[in-house]
Amino acid sequence: MRVLIVEDEPRLARNIARMLREDAGYAVDVSGDGEDGLHMAITNPYDLIVLDLLLPKLDGLTLLQRLRADGKQTPVLILTSLGQTQDVVAGLNAGSDDYLTKPFEAAEFLARAKALVRRSYGTGDSTLRVADLAIDTKARQVTRSKHRLTLTPMEYRLLEYLAMRKNQVVSKTDILEHLYEFNWERFSNVVEVYISSLRRKIDADASGKTPKLIVTVRGMGYMLQEPEEK
Ligand code: CA
Protein backbone atom coordinates (compact mmCIF):
# COMPACT_ATOMS: atom_id res chain seq x y z
CA MET A 1 0.00 0.00 0.00
CA ARG A 2 1.25 3.45 -0.84
CA VAL A 3 0.20 6.70 0.79
CA LEU A 4 0.68 10.37 -0.07
CA ILE A 5 0.87 12.92 2.74
CA VAL A 6 0.27 16.54 1.74
CA GLU A 7 1.37 18.54 4.77
CA ASP A 8 3.46 21.69 5.05
CA GLU A 9 4.59 21.27 8.66
CA PRO A 10 7.76 19.18 8.19
CA ARG A 11 7.79 17.76 11.71
CA LEU A 12 4.19 16.61 11.59
CA ALA A 13 4.68 15.23 8.08
CA ARG A 14 7.71 13.24 9.29
CA ASN A 15 5.78 11.88 12.28
CA ILE A 16 2.80 10.79 10.22
CA ALA A 17 5.09 9.23 7.63
CA ARG A 18 6.93 7.28 10.32
CA MET A 19 3.68 5.99 11.82
CA LEU A 20 2.39 4.85 8.47
CA ARG A 21 5.68 3.16 7.55
CA GLU A 22 6.36 1.52 10.90
CA ASP A 23 2.89 0.75 12.23
CA ALA A 24 0.98 0.17 9.00
CA GLY A 25 3.82 -1.05 6.76
CA TYR A 26 2.88 1.40 4.01
CA ALA A 27 5.15 3.08 1.48
CA VAL A 28 4.86 6.83 2.07
CA ASP A 29 5.49 9.90 -0.11
CA VAL A 30 5.36 13.41 1.33
CA SER A 31 4.56 16.66 -0.42
CA GLY A 32 4.84 20.06 1.27
CA ASP A 33 2.50 22.16 -0.88
CA GLY A 34 -0.84 21.88 -2.62
CA GLU A 35 0.36 22.25 -6.21
CA ASP A 36 3.01 19.57 -5.97
CA GLY A 37 0.63 17.42 -3.91
CA LEU A 38 -2.06 17.57 -6.60
CA HIS A 39 0.47 16.68 -9.29
CA MET A 40 1.71 13.67 -7.29
CA ALA A 41 -1.84 12.59 -6.46
CA ILE A 42 -2.81 12.60 -10.13
CA THR A 43 0.30 10.90 -11.48
CA ASN A 44 0.74 8.07 -8.94
CA PRO A 45 -1.64 5.26 -7.93
CA TYR A 46 -1.97 6.01 -4.20
CA ASP A 47 -4.09 3.88 -1.88
CA LEU A 48 -4.69 6.81 0.45
CA ILE A 49 -4.06 10.57 0.59
CA VAL A 50 -3.64 12.28 3.96
CA LEU A 51 -4.47 15.89 3.28
CA ASP A 52 -3.90 19.07 5.27
CA LEU A 53 -6.22 21.99 4.37
CA LEU A 54 -4.09 25.08 4.98
CA LEU A 55 -1.30 24.61 2.44
CA PRO A 56 1.00 26.88 0.43
CA LYS A 57 0.31 27.40 -3.31
CA LEU A 58 -3.01 25.53 -3.39
CA ASP A 59 -5.33 24.87 -0.46
CA GLY A 60 -6.40 21.35 0.43
CA LEU A 61 -10.08 21.76 -0.47
CA THR A 62 -9.24 23.01 -3.97
CA LEU A 63 -6.72 20.20 -4.37
CA LEU A 64 -9.41 17.70 -3.43
CA GLN A 65 -12.00 19.21 -5.78
CA ARG A 66 -9.53 19.12 -8.69
CA LEU A 67 -8.55 15.56 -7.87
CA ARG A 68 -12.19 14.43 -7.93
CA ALA A 69 -12.87 16.50 -11.08
CA ASP A 70 -10.00 14.57 -12.68
CA GLY A 71 -11.88 11.35 -11.91
CA LYS A 72 -9.51 10.10 -9.19
CA GLN A 73 -11.33 8.10 -6.52
CA THR A 74 -8.33 7.71 -4.18
CA PRO A 75 -9.54 7.68 -0.53
CA VAL A 76 -8.78 10.99 1.19
CA LEU A 77 -8.38 11.57 4.93
CA ILE A 78 -8.38 15.25 5.82
CA LEU A 79 -6.11 16.06 8.75
CA THR A 80 -6.48 19.65 9.87
CA SER A 81 -6.69 22.13 12.69
CA LEU A 82 -9.92 23.50 11.17
CA GLY A 83 -12.46 21.67 13.28
CA GLN A 84 -15.61 23.75 12.92
CA THR A 85 -18.68 21.92 11.67
CA GLN A 86 -18.71 24.03 8.51
CA ASP A 87 -15.10 23.04 7.76
CA VAL A 88 -15.87 19.36 8.22
CA VAL A 89 -18.96 19.63 6.01
CA ALA A 90 -17.01 21.51 3.32
CA GLY A 91 -14.34 18.79 3.37
CA LEU A 92 -16.84 15.97 3.06
CA ASN A 93 -18.72 17.83 0.32
CA ALA A 94 -15.50 18.29 -1.62
CA GLY A 95 -15.10 14.51 -1.72
CA SER A 96 -13.18 13.63 1.42
CA ASP A 97 -13.80 10.16 2.87
CA ASP A 98 -12.90 10.96 6.44
CA TYR A 99 -11.86 13.89 8.63
CA LEU A 100 -9.63 14.12 11.66
CA THR A 101 -8.84 17.24 13.67
CA LYS A 102 -5.37 18.12 15.02
CA PRO A 103 -4.22 17.32 17.62
CA PHE A 104 -5.12 13.67 17.15
CA GLU A 105 -4.27 10.34 18.75
CA ALA A 106 -1.87 8.21 16.74
CA ALA A 107 -3.94 5.06 17.29
CA GLU A 108 -7.10 6.69 15.99
CA PHE A 109 -5.33 8.13 12.97
CA LEU A 110 -3.83 4.74 12.08
CA ALA A 111 -7.13 2.90 12.54
CA ARG A 112 -8.94 5.37 10.28
CA ALA A 113 -6.19 5.31 7.65
CA LYS A 114 -6.17 1.51 7.52
CA ALA A 115 -9.97 1.32 7.43
CA LEU A 116 -10.10 3.69 4.44
CA VAL A 117 -7.54 1.63 2.54
CA ARG A 118 -9.36 -1.63 3.29
CA ARG A 119 -12.74 -0.23 2.34
CA SER A 120 -11.41 1.00 -0.99
CA TYR A 121 -10.49 -2.62 -1.73
CA GLY A 122 -13.93 -3.77 -0.60
CA THR A 123 -12.76 -5.34 2.66
CA GLY A 124 -14.38 -4.35 5.94
CA ASP A 125 -12.65 -6.91 8.15
CA SER A 126 -9.20 -5.99 9.46
CA THR A 127 -8.08 -9.61 8.99
CA LEU A 128 -7.62 -10.62 5.36
CA ARG A 129 -8.16 -14.29 4.62
CA VAL A 130 -7.22 -16.51 1.71
CA ALA A 131 -7.97 -20.16 2.43
CA ASP A 132 -6.16 -20.92 5.72
CA LEU A 133 -3.89 -17.90 5.37
CA ALA A 134 -4.82 -15.03 7.71
CA ILE A 135 -3.29 -11.55 7.59
CA ASP A 136 -4.06 -9.48 10.65
CA THR A 137 -3.60 -5.92 9.34
CA LYS A 138 -3.93 -4.43 12.84
CA ALA A 139 -1.04 -6.35 14.37
CA ARG A 140 0.62 -7.08 11.00
CA GLN A 141 0.78 -10.76 11.85
CA VAL A 142 0.48 -13.54 9.34
CA THR A 143 -0.54 -17.12 10.01
CA ARG A 144 -1.12 -20.11 7.78
CA SER A 145 -3.01 -23.05 9.27
CA LYS A 146 -2.66 -21.17 12.57
CA HIS A 147 1.17 -21.29 12.37
CA ARG A 148 2.72 -17.89 12.78
CA LEU A 149 4.92 -16.82 9.84
CA THR A 150 7.75 -14.30 10.18
CA LEU A 151 7.87 -11.93 7.23
CA THR A 152 10.20 -9.04 6.47
CA PRO A 153 8.53 -5.63 6.12
CA MET A 154 8.72 -5.81 2.30
CA GLU A 155 7.36 -9.35 2.20
CA TYR A 156 4.48 -8.23 4.40
CA ARG A 157 3.81 -5.20 2.21
CA LEU A 158 3.69 -7.37 -0.90
CA LEU A 159 1.49 -10.01 0.71
CA GLU A 160 -0.98 -7.46 2.07
CA TYR A 161 -1.29 -5.86 -1.36
CA LEU A 162 -1.86 -9.22 -3.09
CA ALA A 163 -4.39 -10.15 -0.40
CA MET A 164 -6.35 -6.92 -0.81
CA ARG A 165 -6.59 -7.81 -4.48
CA LYS A 166 -7.05 -11.53 -4.01
CA ASN A 167 -8.19 -13.59 -7.00
CA GLN A 168 -7.03 -10.82 -9.35
CA VAL A 169 -3.93 -10.95 -11.51
CA VAL A 170 -1.62 -8.15 -10.38
CA SER A 171 1.10 -7.01 -12.78
CA LYS A 172 4.71 -6.47 -11.79
CA THR A 173 4.43 -2.75 -12.58
CA ASP A 174 1.38 -2.49 -10.40
CA ILE A 175 3.19 -4.23 -7.54
CA LEU A 176 6.22 -1.94 -7.87
CA GLU A 177 4.01 1.16 -7.87
CA HIS A 178 2.25 0.11 -4.67
CA LEU A 179 5.32 -1.18 -2.80
CA TYR A 180 7.82 1.57 -3.33
CA GLU A 181 8.07 5.22 -2.51
CA PHE A 182 8.69 7.95 -5.06
CA ASN A 183 12.18 8.07 -6.59
CA TRP A 184 13.15 4.70 -5.29
CA GLU A 185 15.00 2.58 -7.78
CA ARG A 186 12.50 0.11 -9.06
CA PHE A 187 13.94 -3.06 -10.51
CA SER A 188 11.36 -5.41 -11.88
CA ASN A 189 13.40 -8.44 -10.75
CA VAL A 190 12.97 -7.50 -7.07
CA VAL A 191 9.33 -8.50 -7.41
CA GLU A 192 10.42 -11.99 -8.42
CA VAL A 193 12.80 -12.12 -5.46
CA TYR A 194 10.07 -11.15 -2.97
CA ILE A 195 7.55 -13.50 -4.57
CA SER A 196 9.96 -16.43 -4.20
CA SER A 197 10.74 -15.61 -0.59
CA LEU A 198 7.01 -15.26 0.19
CA ARG A 199 6.39 -18.60 -1.52
CA ARG A 200 9.05 -20.26 0.63
CA LYS A 201 7.26 -19.03 3.74
CA ILE A 202 3.61 -19.35 2.76
CA ASP A 203 3.46 -22.22 0.35
CA ALA A 204 6.37 -24.25 1.74
CA ASP A 205 4.20 -27.02 3.17
CA ALA A 206 1.66 -26.90 0.39
CA SER A 207 0.55 -30.38 -0.62
CA GLY A 208 -2.67 -31.94 -1.80
CA LYS A 209 -4.25 -30.92 1.48
CA THR A 210 -2.93 -27.39 1.72
CA PRO A 211 -2.90 -25.88 -1.76
CA LYS A 212 -0.43 -23.32 -3.06
CA LEU A 213 -1.92 -19.84 -2.86
CA ILE A 214 0.55 -17.74 -4.85
CA VAL A 215 0.01 -18.27 -8.55
CA THR A 216 2.19 -17.00 -11.42
CA VAL A 217 0.23 -16.00 -14.49
CA ARG A 218 2.82 -16.10 -17.25
CA GLY A 219 3.40 -12.78 -18.98
CA MET A 220 0.80 -11.05 -16.79
CA GLY A 221 1.75 -11.13 -13.16
CA TYR A 222 0.88 -12.80 -9.89
CA MET A 223 -2.25 -13.71 -8.01
CA LEU A 224 -3.05 -14.70 -4.46
CA GLN A 225 -5.80 -17.17 -5.18
CA GLU A 226 -8.54 -18.66 -3.06
CA PRO A 227 -8.45 -22.35 -4.05
CA GLU A 228 -11.64 -23.70 -5.59
CA GLU A 229 -13.80 -25.86 -3.36
CA LYS A 230 -13.29 -29.51 -4.09
CA1 CA B 1 -0.86 23.50 7.10
Side-chain angles (χ1 to χ4, degrees):
M1 301 295 133
R2 186 170 165 210
V3 180
L4 173 66
I5 297 169
V6 190
E7 170 63 67
D8 61 328
E9 290 168 52
R11 219 182 122 197
L12 181 60
R14 271 199 306 277
N15 282 339
I16 303 171
R18 185 179 42 75
M19 277 191 261
L20 289 169
R21 286 189 187 110
E22 291 176 6
D23 299 323
Y26 295 165
V28 183
D29 294 330
V30 177
S31 174
D33 73 69
E35 255 176 33
D36 176 65
L38 178 62
H39 175 73
M40 289 185 75
I42 285 177
T43 51
N44 295 286
Y46 291 107
D47 296 297
L48 174 69
I49 298 169
V50 177
L51 183 63
D52 183 21
L53 290 185
L54 300 177
L55 289 165
K57 293 190 186 172
L58 187 73
D59 70 275
L61 270 192
T62 311
L63 185 162
L64 181 54
Q65 284 158 348
R66 294 199 187 156
L67 184 74
R68 294 300 185 233
D70 196 67
K72 294 282 182 294
Q73 296 305 315
T74 319
V76 170
L77 170 58
I78 290 180
L79 201 58
T80 179
S81 45
L82 303 177
Q84 303 281 339
T85 305
Q86 73 230 38
D87 300 315
V88 177
V89 170
L92 294 172
N93 281 341
S96 155
D97 300 273
D98 203 352
Y99 203 105
L100 197 58
T101 311
K102 300 172 191 169
F104 56 90
E105 295 290 331
E108 182 179 5
F109 166 72
L110 281 167
R112 284 174 186 259
K114 287 180 180 183
L116 283 179
V117 171
R118 280 199 313 269
R119 252 183 273 144
S120 74
Y121 284 95
T123 317
D125 197 335
S126 63
T127 299
L128 310 172
R129 290 174 205 282
V130 183
D132 56 351
L133 177 72
I135 302 154
D136 176 347
T137 60
K138 266 195 228 151
R140 283 202 291 154
Q141 283 179 3
V142 180
T143 55
R144 179 143 197 213
S145 300
K146 303 213 169 80
H147 293 291
R148 173 91 175 269
L149 305 175
T150 309
L151 303 187
T152 67
M154 280 309 270
E155 288 167 355
Y156 177 84
R157 200 180 276 183
L158 171 59
L159 181 66
E160 187 187 81
Y161 184 58
L162 291 175
M164 289 278 191
R165 300 192 54 187
K166 79 170 178 181
N167 297 329
Q168 296 172 32
V169 181
V170 185
S171 74
K172 248 197 257 182
T173 310
D174 207 335
I175 290 173
L176 287 167
E177 282 179 343
H178 285 265
L179 254 59
Y180 284 93
E181 299 172 0
F182 193 66
N183 274 344
W184 273 46
E185 298 254 24
R186 294 174 187 170
F187 302 104
S188 63
N189 62 342
V190 300
V191 175
E192 276 140 39
V193 172
Y194 287 125
I195 288 277
S196 358
S197 59
L198 261 188
R199 271 203 174 112
R200 275 197 298 275
K201 293 180 181 178
I202 284 161
D203 284 337
D205 299 324
S207 62
K209 239 168 83 191
T210 51
K212 290 187 191 300
L213 303 178
I214 301 174
V215 176
T216 303
V217 183
R218 209 165 280 282
M220 293 184 65
Y222 303 95
M223 173 162 59
L224 192 62
Q225 192 178 33
E226 187 79 54
E228 285 175 26
E229 297 285 332
K230 284 192 188 123

